């Protein structure tokens, strides 16, 4: 059973470009969470999605950031017009249900560098 | 809001025991997770506590006191590979995890 798959592992973008980060949850998991980790800081919740629905986006910046989890295919975190402050590690986690005791399993992350 | 406090760094000797403390203030508490994160890697699950008391799992144990907003992770028989960051994460509503900055543990010979 493959774990949570994220790609790319490393992504380099110039200021103003778009970044697309992909996350395929573990098999059988329909709940996806995105977290951002800035250098020397803790993981910060961004958004929680189920298939075709955004459940909680309270941690998403108001502009330039969007997320989706379509019926088919991976979850996508999209950052438009990237700025240097977007440079961070972005982690995706998945769980089978949304009850609190369900463990969130993390992918290896995408490290975004904005030049 | 959420507030989590852990020591930033700790150092311990191989074979020793170390306790990593975590205090938290959170709304909608639904248990507390501990994760291990090696540099440049994904966080991996260690333990989950929802009731008060001690949960033991091999060399790792975790304790929770809900009334005090306090948890600790106990690592026994330390090994070099235990050098990592340890993340305390209370679960809130809809399983949203809130992480502290983590405790960086250095195990020395």
């Amino acid at each position: 059973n493959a774990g949570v798959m994220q790609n790319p592992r490393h992504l380099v973008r110039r200021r103003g470009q778009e970044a697309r980060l992909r996350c395929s949850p573990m098999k059988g998991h329909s709940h996806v969470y995105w977290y951002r980790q800035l250098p020397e800081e803790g993981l910060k919740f961004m958004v929680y999605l189920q298939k075709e629905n955004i459940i909680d986006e309270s941690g998403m910046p108001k502009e330039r950031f969007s997320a989706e989890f379509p019926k088919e295919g991976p979850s996508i975190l999209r950052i438009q017009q990237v700025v240097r402050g977007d440079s961070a590690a972005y982690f995706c986690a998945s769980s089978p249900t949304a009850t609190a005791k369900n463990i969130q399993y993390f992918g290896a992350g995408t490290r975004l560098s904005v030049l | 809001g959420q507030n989590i406090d852990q020591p930033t760094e700790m150092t311990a000797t191989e074979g020793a025991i170390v306790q990593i403390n975590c205090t938290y203030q959170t709304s909608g508490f639904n248990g507390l997770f501990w994760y291990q994160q090696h540099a440049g890697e994904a966080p991996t699950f260690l333990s989950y506590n929802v009731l008060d008391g001690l949960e033991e799992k091999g060399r790792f144990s975790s304790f929770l006191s809900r009334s005090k907003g306090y948890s600790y992770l106990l690592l026994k028989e330390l090994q070099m590979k235990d050098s990592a960051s340890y993340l305390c994460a209370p679960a809130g509503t809809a399983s949203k995890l809130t992480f502290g900055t983590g405790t960086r543990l250095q195990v020395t010979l």
Side-chain angles (χ1 to χ4, degrees), chain A residues 42-82:
Chain A
L43 288 150
K44 302 289 187 200
F45 168 81
M46 299 181 76
V47 62
Y48 159 44
L49 310 103
Q50 295 179 30
K51 286 283 187 181
E52 299 184 279
N53 284 304
I54 296 174
I55 307 302
D56 183 344
E57 56 181 348
S58 57
M60 288 279 270
K62 293 289 185 285
E63 298 176 346
R64 302 189 296 109
F65 285 71
S66 62
E68 62 176 8
F69 189 15
K71 188 177 180 181
E72 301 291 337
S75 175
I76 306 285
L77 180 67
R78 183 181 176 207
I79 311 172
Q80 295 178 291
Q81 300 174 338
V82 295

Side-chain angles (χ1 to χ4, degrees), chain A residues 66-114:
Chain A
S66 62
E68 62 176 8
F69 189 15
K71 188 177 180 181
E72 301 291 337
S75 175
I76 306 285
L77 180 67
R78 183 181 176 207
I79 311 172
Q80 295 178 291
Q81 300 174 338
V82 295
V83 301
R84 289 218 173 102
D86 297 332
S87 295
Y90 292 83
F91 289 95
C92 166
S94 74
S95 69
T97 69
T99 56
K101 66 179 180 181
N102 276 286
I103 301 162
Q104 291 183 25
Y105 294 91
F106 282 79
T110 293
R111 277 143 189 86
L112 173 65
S113 297
V114 180

Side-chain angles (χ1 to χ4, degrees), chain A residues 9 33 35 37 40-45 48 55-56 58-59 91 95 97-109 111, chain B residues 29-31 33 35 37-45 48 50 57 87 91-102 104:
Chain A
R9 289 293 308 275
Y33 305 79
Y35 295 85
Q37 188 171 36
E40 304 303 319
E41 293 190 14
L43 288 150
K44 302 289 187 200
F45 168 81
Y48 159 44
I55 307 302
D56 183 344
S58 57
F91 289 95
S95 69
T97 69
T99 56
K101 66 179 180 181
N102 276 286
I103 301 162
Q104 291 183 25
Y105 294 91
F106 282 79
R111 277 143 189 86
Chain B
F29 182 76
N30 282 305
F33 289 84
Y35 281 82
Q37 186 179 25
H38 285 97
E41 297 183 12
T44 55
F45 169 78
Y48 172 71
V50 66
K57 190 189 296 184
L87 314 178
T93 55
S95 302
K96 183 167 69 178
L97 297 180
T98 300
F99 289 89
T101 53
R104 195 175 307 165

Side-chain angles (χ1 to χ4, degrees), chain B residues 2-3 21 36 41 43-45 50 54 57 61 63 68 72 84-86 104:
Chain B
Q2 315 270 17
N3 189 34
N21 296 321
Q36 179 192 61
E41 297 183 12
T44 55
F45 169 78
V50 66
L54 188 68
K57 190 189 296 184
S61 303
F63 171 85
K68 295 181 180 177
Y72 68 73
S85 289
Y86 291 86
R104 195 175 307 165

Side-chain angles (χ1 to χ4, degrees), chain B residues 30-97:
Chain B
N30 282 305
L32 187 140
F33 289 84
W34 283 93
Y35 281 82
Q36 179 192 61
Q37 186 179 25
H38 285 97
E41 297 183 12
T44 55
F45 169 78
L46 290 178
S47 69
Y48 172 71
N49 295 66
V50 66
L51 299 176
D52 290 351
L54 188 68
E55 295 275 345
E56 296 186 78
K57 190 189 296 184
R59 292 191 300 116
F60 292 4
S61 303
S62 56
F63 171 85
L64 176 67
S65 169
R66 289 171 296 172
S67 62
K68 295 181 180 177
Y70 168 68
S71 175
Y72 68 73
L73 181 69
L74 193 71
L75 293 78
K76 303 175 186 175
E77 301 170 14
L78 280 173
Q79 302 174 10
M80 297 299 289
K81 67 178 182 180
D82 296 330
S83 293
S85 289
Y86 291 86
L87 314 178
C88 168
T93 55
S95 302
K96 183 167 69 178
L97 297 180

